[in-house]
Amino acid sequence: MLPWLSPDQFPLYLAPMAGVTDMVFRGLCKELGADVMVTEFVSAEGILQADERTRKYTEFDDAQRAVGVQLFGADGQRMGEAARKIVDWKQPDFIDINFGCPVNKVVAKNGGSSLLKDCPLLASVATGIVKAVPVPVTAKIRIGWDSETVNAVEVCRLLEDSGIQAIAVHGRTRAQGYTGQADWEVISQCAAAVRIPVIGNGDIATGMDVERRRRETGVSGVMIGRAAMGNPWVFREAKHYLKHGTHLPAATTEQRFDLMLRHTRLAVQSRRYGSEIQALRSMRNRLMAYTQGLPGSKHLRVLFCQVESIGQLEGIASDYLAQREQAACAA
Ligand SMILES: Cc1cc2nc3c(=O)[nH]c(=O)nc-3n(C[C@H](O)[C@H](O)[C@H](O)COP(=O)(O)O)c2cc1C
């Protein structure tokens, strides 16, 4: 039994999102209530070649636990070796296998969601890793390759038989990408079909969504992805809603700008992205995500597209807040 999935708990996972859930963002989400996190996926081959960049993606600090490192690949033995190497480096709480990635580059190498089309290979990958490491192994799947071949229930049973200890199910097919709606009916069927915990994933944006999925399906926890990108407070809100049945007020404009500045400063300090200007470039999309729902967000996004230093970002924040105050006084 994974301690964070004991029957009295209902953990909120931060979904792995390549290019988004780096060590800095994960730390912020943890502070805001995320219980479990998974690193951005890395290829087993990258790990085996001791590629520095790949290794960087697997970094985390102890405050972020429980943390899993997510691997993709299609060769159970090589993936098992890679998983062992990661365990030796970092002792993550678990290894997670990506059976959901829809990206062509990954699918073309038989990785990610392509394994949903080849159940024997999928089972051999799972078994290869389970046998290789002393830590629990979990998996993340989509509900199938396309609408004609939805096979998540069968895949969950196979994974359970392979020794996988929990499964996150994203309620879309590979063909859907990120379009349409997640099918929580299939997620619910998966939860009913296996004894290991199933974590439901797809389109959760509020505490009310979390409460509804907990009430209506047999999932043991939920995983939140895109909603957290612009609103990492979603974890705090969800916890409050689960406990009290009421909503917390949304983050204020000041809190949004504080978080944007803090996130950016941490990204620069971490030196993960190189110089300050390089870090700011890699932060631009992230900053844009934080403008969701702010009045004048279009103009802010134009400014963020060009921001090159913390000083500039501080200037944008103070101008925005001063203008807002002026407008409030004039009203
Ligand atoms: C930008 C982006 C990157 C992603 N990268 C990964 C990844 O590395 N590994 C993975 O298993 N899923 C990845 N996903 C899928 C998410 O983990 C999640 O399953 C999906 O976004 C659905 O959840 P949501 O509706 O809460 O966003 C990614 C999604 C996005 C939007």
Side-chain angles (χ1 to χ4, degrees):
M1 165 79 63
L2 302 169
W4 57 93
L5 279 161
S6 60
D8 55 332
Q9 309 212 37
F10 191 80
L12 306 179
Y13 279 63
L14 170 66
M17 290 183 285
V20 177
T21 52
D22 62 8
M23 181 148 133
V24 172
F25 186 65
R26 273 184 270 126
L28 295 172
C29 289
K30 188 77 189 186
E31 281 178 25
L32 290 168
D35 297 302
V36 186
M37 22 207 81
V38 183
T39 60
E40 306 160 83
F41 69 169
V42 289
S43 83
E45 289 309 315
I47 295 293
L48 289 172
Q49 285 152 26
D51 169 19
E52 265 314 302
R53 224 175 93 207
T54 308
R55 194 167 163 160
K56 204 172 73 178
Y57 291 123
T58 66
E59 279 172 1
F60 61 87
D61 63 39
D62 286 337
Q64 295 178 7
R65 291 182 185 276
V67 181
V69 171
Q70 193 186 61
L71 278 179
F72 74 92
D75 177 333
Q77 201 193 327
R78 298 284 285 167
M79 288 181 76
E81 284 169 33
R84 212 165 34 230
K85 214 162 165 182
I86 290 171
V87 171
D88 289 347
W89 276 342
K90 289 293 305 179
Q91 281 98 43
D93 300 277
F94 60 103
I95 295 286
D96 188 59
I97 317 175
N98 181 314
F99 293 125
C101 181
V103 173
N104 285 334
K105 211 169 78 181
V106 171
V107 167
K109 289 186 196 153
N110 286 336
S113 57
S114 74
L115 287 152
L116 299 172
K117 287 193 297 186
D118 187 342
C119 287
L121 184 58
L122 174 134
S124 84
V125 164
T127 315
I129 300 180
V130 167
K131 281 191 179 148
V133 289
V135 299
V137 182
T138 65
K140 180 160 178 279
I141 67 170
R142 284 185 177 240
I143 57 173
W145 179 257
D146 59 23
S147 58
E148 307 293 305
T149 55
V150 171
N151 61 348
V153 167
E154 179 194 348
V155 167
C156 284
R157 289 198 178 113
L158 267 177
L159 291 172
E160 179 175 41
D161 291 346
S162 307
I164 293 294
Q165 296 201 27
I167 308 169
V169 182
H170 174 195
R172 288 188 175 78
T173 62
R174 190 266 176 177
Q176 277 180 290
Y178 294 97
T179 63
Q181 280 185 341
D183 187 336
W184 278 81
E185 183 52 43
V186 175
I187 296 174
S188 188
Q189 289 165 10
C190 292
V194 289
R195 288 177 307 273
I196 55 174
V198 166
I199 316 302
N201 171 231
D203 303 337
I204 290 197
T206 65
M208 217 193 252
D209 295 337
V210 176
E211 193 279 328
R212 175 173 166 219
R213 297 314 183 185
R214 182 169 79 167
R215 183 166 32 85
E216 292 183 353
T217 71
V219 296
S220 304
V222 293
M223 179 179 266
I224 305 178
R226 289 164 298 168
M229 262 157 90
N231 180 27
W233 294 272
V234 64
F235 297 104
R236 197 175 62 184
E237 200 258 325
K239 288 218 156 132
H240 181 90
Y241 194 87
L242 287 177
K243 198 162 172 201
H244 304 287
T246 55
H247 292 289
L248 274 180
T252 63
T253 307
E254 285 78 4
Q255 284 171 325
R256 282 192 174 268
F257 276 100
D258 280 351
L259 194 76
M260 287 183 214
L261 282 163
R262 188 150 162 252
H263 188 163
T264 309
R265 288 189 189 113
L266 288 169
V268 171
Q269 278 161 21
S270 76
R271 302 197 177 279
R272 298 175 63 81
Y273 301 100
S275 62
E276 179 170 341
I277 187 168
Q278 287 168 319
L280 266 290
R281 283 184 186 143
S282 67
M283 278 296 298
R284 286 174 183 168
N285 279 336
R286 312 310 329 290
L287 292 170
M288 288 192 232
Y290 285 134
T291 64
Q292 266 171 37
L294 287 180
S297 60
K298 201 168 160 193
H299 179 61
L300 271 177
R301 285 198 291 274
V302 171
L303 298 174
F304 288 160
C305 265
Q306 299 154 28
V307 67
E308 295 197 327
S309 69
I310 293 180
Q312 268 181 16
L313 182 61
E314 287 168 344
I316 295 169
S318 59
D319 287 352
Y320 182 92
L321 292 171
Q323 275 169 22
R324 202 188 54 131
E325 218 164 276
Q326 266 178 10
C329 289

